[in-house]
Amino acid sequence: MKFDVMTGGLPLRSMAAFAQDAERAGFSGIVVTEGGRTAYLGCGAAALAADIDILTGVAVAFPRSPMVTAEIAWELAEATGGRFRLGLGTQVRAHITRRYGSDFEHPGPRLKEYVLAMQAIFRAFRGDGPLAVDGEFYHLDLLPAQWSPGPISTPNPPIDVAAVNPWMLRMAGEVADGVHVHPLNHPTYLRETVIPNLNEGATKAGRSAEDLEIIVPAFIVPIDDDEARWRNFARMQVAFYGSTPNYAFIFEKLGFDGTTDRIRERQRARDLAGMAAEVSDELLDHFVVTGPRSELADKILERYQGLATRVVSYFGGLDWTNDPSALNAWADVARGVTNP
């Protein structure tokens, strides 16, 4: 199992420093989210600063054409010597249509076609055939030699997709190289929803879920330092993600029916504290890994072995922005997870 650390967008010089600190602490890779800052420029800064795996987790697909994304991924794969993984997601309708001004209709099938189009583009970059994408959403058939980056010495960058519901998980298993599991996850959801649906999609493509990278963010709470603060962060994140109606089934799998409805009531009242209060300690414990640092590696392995190939420290980047020395405290945990 690999052990990564997540960060949001950072100033580019800060991203280079973050990557170096993560490498020194023994993390397998950094997972770069996309929000107010683009994921890709940060990945480029990290790629030139540290020999560490670099993943977008995730970059928004639809506002960029598959060709633009493929060109960026190709350069990052080359710059990292093959250590870059491209994670793609749909985002939600309001952001795609109102913030980016892009199309969102049929997001699942559109993302599937996007992945297939990128794979076709990679083949064309290598000269394995002409560019020929003729789908429902994307039509690409022009790639003169002078406009192609040409072959690179590393394998094609793997493409991972963000997936929550069964359809998207089956799609990931069928066409992608891996999946970014949503941060709102627990072992029951991983066992009963993620793995079976990935396997169903993979079987359709003549493979199994064992062929896929399963990337799972984790709310990890060390009790050695400021346990209450990190539990409160985790509680608020569970409430924030749990306010999405499509994710209600994740609570229901644990027997906490109606939780999303109650969180949304508090959200409509703009009561952030009330939203968090709807996540009881009993419910929160399903979503966090808690213990002294000396035991965290074993707890992570116990929780995710057989369910994840990469576990991502969700709060690691936030911790680093507050204290650039913070990642040093994770060195033993990282070693314990990656070399049990």
Side-chain angles (χ1 to χ4, degrees), residues 303-314:
R303 186 181 183 95
Y304 295 109
Q305 197 75 54
L307 299 174
T309 60
R310 309 186 79 111
V311 172
V312 186
S313 172
Y314 184 93

Side-chain angles (χ1 to χ4, degrees), residues 80-328:
T80 60
R83 291 178 287 101
F84 174 70
R85 298 189 69 93
L86 173 66
L88 293 172
T90 63
Q91 244 295 352
V92 296
R93 179 184 298 274
H95 281 274
I96 296 302
T97 60
R98 294 168 51 198
R99 181 157 68 98
Y100 290 109
S102 299
D103 294 331
F104 188 77
E105 287 74 16
H106 311 294
R110 184 184 294 271
L111 185 60
K112 178 179 180 179
E113 189 173 302
Y114 196 104
V115 173
L116 293 172
M118 288 196 58
Q119 292 167 346
I121 293 167
F122 291 159
R123 291 192 294 271
F125 285 173
R126 291 203 182 275
D128 294 337
L131 178 62
V133 175
D134 187 18
E136 180 179 356
F137 307 102
Y138 300 103
H139 306 275
L140 309 167
D141 60 7
L142 178 65
L143 188 64
Q146 67 267 34
W147 294 104
S148 172
I152 54 178
S153 60
T154 67
N156 295 353
I159 304 173
D160 309 314
V161 299
V164 177
N165 65 45
W167 191 95
M168 289 289 279
L169 288 162
R170 290 193 295 272
M171 182 273 281
E174 181 183 356
V175 304
D177 298 296
V179 62
H180 281 271
V181 174
H182 196 277
L184 192 68
N185 69 77
H186 49 72
T188 301
Y189 166 68
L190 294 172
R191 281 193 302 270
E192 296 182 1
T193 301
V194 172
I195 300 299
N197 282 287
L198 286 177
N199 261 319
E200 184 176 338
T203 298
K204 186 176 179 180
R207 53 184 184 166
S208 76
E210 294 179 357
D211 300 317
L212 303 173
E213 195 83 281
I214 305 175
I215 305 158
V216 181
F219 300 132
I220 304 173
V221 178
I223 64 174
D224 314 66
D225 45 42
D226 212 353
E227 175 187 4
R229 173 174 174 254
W230 291 114
R231 280 184 69 85
N232 285 338
F233 273 134
R235 194 187 309 274
M236 192 64 244
Q237 287 304 118
V238 170
F240 169 71
Y241 289 130
S243 67
T244 302
N246 288 345
Y247 302 165
F249 77 97
I250 295 177
F251 294 135
E252 292 164 0
K253 279 189 167 292
L254 297 171
F256 290 82
D257 296 22
T259 297
T260 292
D261 289 339
R262 291 191 295 274
I263 291 173
R264 287 176 63 79
E265 287 178 10
R266 302 273 54 83
Q267 185 181 49
R268 285 191 289 270
R270 299 184 180 181
D271 179 6
L272 296 180
M275 290 174 63
E278 294 295 339
V279 181
S280 67
D281 285 338
E282 181 185 3
L283 176 56
L284 181 63
D285 285 339
H286 288 282
F287 294 94
V288 298
V289 181
T290 304
R293 288 188 192 274
S294 61
E295 298 177 9
L296 281 177
D298 289 340
K299 288 180 176 291
I300 291 167
L301 290 168
E302 179 183 0
R303 186 181 183 95
Y304 295 109
Q305 197 75 54
L307 299 174
T309 60
R310 309 186 79 111
V311 172
V312 186
S313 172
Y314 184 93
F315 293 129
L318 175 62
D319 205 10
W320 182 87
T321 58
N322 294 326
D323 176 7
S325 69
L327 294 186
N328 296 335

Side-chain angles (χ1 to χ4, degrees), residues 11-85:
L12 298 187
R13 293 184 186 277
S14 296
M15 185 65 80
F18 175 77
Q20 291 169 345
D21 287 348
E23 181 184 15
R24 278 192 290 267
F27 285 95
S28 307
I30 63 172
V31 177
V32 183
T33 65
E34 183 161 68
R37 294 178 182 266
T38 68
Y40 297 124
L41 284 175
C43 288
L48 299 179
D51 291 325
I52 192 170
D53 292 351
I54 299 172
L55 304 78
T56 55
V58 293
V60 183
F62 303 150
R64 303 177 178 99
S65 79
M67 177 62 73
V68 169
T69 301
E71 290 174 330
I72 295 168
W74 204 247
E75 290 190 57
L76 287 169
E78 184 178 42
T80 60
R83 291 178 287 101
F84 174 70
R85 298 189 69 93

